[in-house]
Amino acid sequence: MNPLPSFPMTSRPRLPRFKLMGIAPVIIILLGITAWSSWYTVPSDSVAIVQRFGKFKAEVQPGLHFKIPLGVDVATILPVKRQLKQEFGFYTQGATNLDQYSDDPTAESPMVTGDLNVALVEWVVQYRIAEPTNYLFAVREPGITLRNASESVMREVVGDRTVDEVLTIGRQEIEAEALVKLQQLATRYLMGVSIDQVQLKNINPPRPVQESFNEVNQAQQEKEKLINEARRDYNKVIPLAEGEKDQRIREAEGYRLKRVNEAEGDVARFNAVFTEYQKAPDITQRRLYLETMQAILPGIQNKIVVDEGMKNLLPLLNLNTSQKTPAEATP
């Protein structure tokens, strides 16, 4: 029996140790990236729209959540409870919203009014994300679309009014009309936003005529100032005169009633006395005489009673004057 043939032993090739040491950090980094990208946090004022391979999967509420890493699940965070704003014709430094202002704000402010004049209009649109899915998927670049719609609506509203209305008395009407039209446009385009307010900031005429316009405004303000001062003086003087007039009228009415009542009382008293006089003339005459004397005599200080039978009467003069001594009487 022949022995089994022997085959030469061959060993598998081994990777060098320095290559294994180079691959290990890469694997650790990949594992770290995988672990880091497998969770995310949604702030309290936001929601997250999760897409798996680009398809909408779910709307996630605030909190800590996990997802399939390496780009399989993508979470887009939208601040649905925060009020956002867009500025037109100017910009504010440090804005966190990328769509808050455009690259060239000065090109947005010039507008043609209804009487073919030009006004520089600056305004702000405040809005909220009401429907996150429509905001992300219904319109491409919703922030830029909202900016274009806002500018279109504002130019339409300003173009329906004269430059005087735009610069002076028409601000509130412009804001209200622009708010309604912009909300209707956002609803029609399914932007998923709710317009809270359209607020006009600065409205000025073009710079070449701004100085003249300021002079006109100053003259109008001076006119209003003089009118207000005249109204103030009118309100100060006229009511006082009206009050004095009413007081004089009431005093005259009271005096008239007093005189009439007194006259009627005198007439009634005279008629009563006359009636009694007809009944007894002598008694009435005597009573009238006594009443008259009773009213007159208390006011007389010195009284002289003369007897009718007296023949000679010594005149008494200066009875009320003080007697002077002979020394005082001598000059």
Side-chain angles (χ1 to χ4, degrees), residues 204-219:
N204 297 311
R207 291 180 178 84
V209 298
Q210 190 168 1
E211 184 176 355
S212 299
F213 180 79
N214 291 336
E215 292 178 357
V216 172
N217 282 340
Q218 186 176 0

Side-chain angles (χ1 to χ4, degrees), residues 86-311:
Q86 292 183 349
E87 300 171 341
F88 299 84
F90 70 102
Y91 68 95
T92 303
Q93 295 287 349
T96 57
N97 184 8
L98 299 178
D99 299 320
Q100 183 166 327
Y101 58 88
S102 64
D103 297 334
D104 188 9
T106 57
E108 299 171 338
S109 58
M111 295 187 182
V112 179
T113 60
D115 53 356
L116 302 182
N117 287 302
V118 178
L120 302 179
V121 182
E122 298 176 358
W123 75 99
V124 173
V125 175
Q126 297 178 350
Y127 67 98
R128 300 176 187 270
I129 300 176
E131 300 176 4
T133 54
N134 286 343
Y135 186 81
L136 280 182
F137 306 120
V139 179
R140 182 179 299 177
E141 296 182 350
I144 297 177
T145 304
L146 180 60
R147 290 193 65 88
N148 294 335
S150 302
E151 185 175 354
S152 175
V153 168
M154 186 58 68
R155 292 187 182 277
E156 177 185 356
V157 174
V158 171
D160 292 337
R161 288 166 173 80
T162 63
V163 66
D164 291 335
E165 293 177 341
V166 174
L167 294 173
T168 55
I169 62 175
R171 296 173 63 96
Q172 294 182 352
E173 294 181 359
I174 292 174
E175 292 175 348
E177 185 176 352
L179 174 63
V180 173
K181 289 188 175 182
L182 184 57
Q183 184 61 65
Q184 292 176 352
L185 203 60
T187 304
R188 185 187 307 171
Y189 288 165
L190 299 177
M191 294 183 188
V193 298
S194 174
I195 310 300
D196 292 340
Q197 186 178 14
V198 176
Q199 183 180 8
L200 294 175
K201 288 296 185 180
N202 296 322
I203 303 178
N204 297 311
R207 291 180 178 84
V209 298
Q210 190 168 1
E211 184 176 355
S212 299
F213 180 79
N214 291 336
E215 292 178 357
V216 172
N217 282 340
Q218 186 176 0
Q220 291 179 349
Q221 293 175 1
E222 186 69 21
K223 171 187 172 184
E224 294 295 331
K225 178 182 177 182
L226 294 176
I227 292 175
N228 292 333
E229 291 178 353
R231 289 177 177 173
R232 181 194 61 192
D233 295 339
Y234 175 86
N235 294 330
K236 181 179 179 181
V237 174
I238 297 301
L240 181 60
E242 292 288 341
E244 293 180 355
K245 181 194 74 173
D246 294 338
Q247 182 180 359
R248 297 289 181 85
I249 291 175
R250 286 192 297 269
E251 291 177 354
E253 290 290 337
Y255 180 74
R256 181 183 68 85
L257 292 175
K258 177 183 177 182
R259 297 294 295 175
V260 169
N261 292 333
E262 289 178 352
E264 290 178 352
D266 293 341
V267 170
R269 185 171 61 254
F270 179 80
N271 291 332
V273 172
F274 181 71
T275 302
E276 297 298 329
Y277 176 79
Q278 289 178 341
K279 294 179 180 179
D282 296 337
I283 297 175
T284 303
Q285 289 180 0
R286 188 174 183 82
R287 184 170 65 84
L288 291 176
Y289 173 79
L290 294 176
E291 290 179 353
T292 303
M293 291 297 102
Q294 186 179 2
I296 294 175
L297 291 179
I300 300 175
Q301 296 180 356
N302 297 318
K303 307 174 185 63
I304 300 175
V305 180
V306 180
D307 188 5
E308 294 180 354
M310 187 176 181
K311 300 299 182 178

